[in-house]
Amino acid sequence: MEEVKLLGFWPSNFVYRVIWALKLKGVEYDYIEEDVLSNKSELLLQYNPVYKKVPVLVHRGKPIVESCVILEYIEETWPENPLLPEDAHDKAVARFWMQFASPDRSPTFNAFFLLPTAGEEREKTIKDVLETLRTLEEQGLGDKKFFGGDSIGLVDIVHGWLASWFEIIQEMVGVKLLEPNTLPRLLAWVQNFKDAPVIKDNLPDYNELLAHMTRVREMFVSKKSVT
């Protein structure tokens, strides 16, 4: 049996990307929880000395880092139950949407997380986030059940943070954008994604995640106010 380990941190949506992919592929693995906020292990520093972040996938003793890189590695290493299209052009299109508006690449979503209670900046950020999500809905998802068609693929996995983490951000900042009258198809996609057994059985507890993200947001807002 191949040795597969995953170093993660329970609130991280980037870690859950890898968990979902491994589960969908039927790959067994050992999960190692890391305290990335205050006590990074020697194992993490050894396997990811550049960024010192999770997730880290360890396969046959060799580490792979960065969630999208890991997803591609999983797809190539375990080709059964494919999560990318076979056609080269369709695959390229999927990779484009994997990168579009990903929370690690989008300053818009970071600004939404730290949304002020009032003012011009608040209104501009809300508008920008809504426009980004509309583009994802209209140009990426279209009328499909999932981004790739009838089953979950890598594009869905990358945007899977919308199914829980984004909902919590909406609750924290008091702005609801994923609504039937604004983004009906994306909202339906969120529900379809959450209803899939592999996803439903592998999501963090909502209240625990809300408490954690609230603490993180308060910390960043506090730092922002003194700079």
Side-chain angles (χ1 to χ4, degrees):
M1 183 174 166
E2 294 182 307
E3 179 198 37
V4 182
K5 296 178 182 177
L6 174 61
L7 279 65
F9 180 48
W10 73 268
S12 170
N13 67 87
F14 303 108
V15 171
Y16 274 89
R17 290 177 176 181
V18 181
I19 291 173
W20 295 330
L22 290 171
K23 294 285 186 180
L24 287 165
K25 291 285 188 179
V27 177
E28 294 186 13
Y29 64 95
D30 293 324
Y31 178 79
I32 302 170
E33 177 71 12
E34 287 286 336
D35 182 1
V36 298
L37 296 180
S38 59
N39 187 25
K40 296 178 181 180
S41 73
E42 288 299 321
L43 196 63
L44 175 59
L45 299 178
Q46 172 191 336
Y47 283 141
N48 191 0
V50 177
Y51 292 120
K52 305 175 178 64
K53 293 179 179 179
V54 294
V56 177
L57 184 74
V58 184
H59 182 216
R60 297 173 178 167
K62 297 178 180 179
I64 307 96
V65 302
E66 295 294 286
S67 62
C68 279
V69 175
I70 295 172
L71 293 180
E72 294 271 8
Y73 180 87
I74 290 171
E75 178 71 357
E76 291 181 15
T77 304
W78 296 281
E80 52 281 333
N81 303 324
L83 300 174
L84 279 175
E86 186 176 349
D87 178 78
H89 178 264
D90 292 344
K91 193 175 292 184
V93 171
R95 286 175 172 142
F96 171 84
W97 289 111
M98 285 172 66
Q99 295 187 36
F100 179 82
S102 177
D104 56 332
R105 297 171 179 265
S106 174
T108 301
F109 286 118
N110 290 333
F112 190 61
F113 180 66
L114 300 174
L115 195 68
T117 55
E120 204 173 296
E121 181 185 347
R122 177 183 174 89
E123 297 308 314
K124 182 183 183 305
T125 299
I126 292 171
K127 180 182 177 183
D128 289 347
V129 171
L130 186 55
E131 286 181 359
T132 299
L133 292 176
R134 277 189 177 139
T135 299
L136 185 64
E137 178 185 72
E138 293 171 6
Q139 303 296 324
L141 180 62
D143 294 320
K144 301 185 294 295
K145 181 178 181 180
F146 296 109
F147 282 90
D150 294 327
S151 59
I152 291 174
L154 290 190
V155 181
D156 303 281
I157 287 172
V158 168
H159 294 293
W161 76 284
L162 294 171
S164 189
W165 290 261
F166 186 73
E167 289 184 352
I168 286 174
I169 295 174
Q170 291 183 126
E171 181 176 340
M172 289 192 300
V173 301
V175 177
K176 191 81 170 174
L177 297 179
L178 279 173
E179 290 279 79
N181 61 334
T182 53
L183 297 161
R185 286 173 290 173
L186 198 59
L187 182 62
W189 168 82
V190 165
Q191 196 56 55
N192 288 331
F193 186 76
K194 290 169 72 173
D195 285 345
V198 165
I199 308 302
K200 185 188 298 184
D201 294 342
N202 293 280
L203 281 171
D205 179 84
Y206 187 91
N207 291 326
E208 290 180 5
L209 186 59
L210 172 61
H212 169 80
M213 291 177 65
T214 300
R215 288 193 300 270
V216 172
R217 184 176 186 275
E218 289 172 350
M219 180 181 68
F220 276 108
V221 169
S222 176
K223 285 183 178 178
K224 190 177 179 181
S225 65
V226 297
T227 56

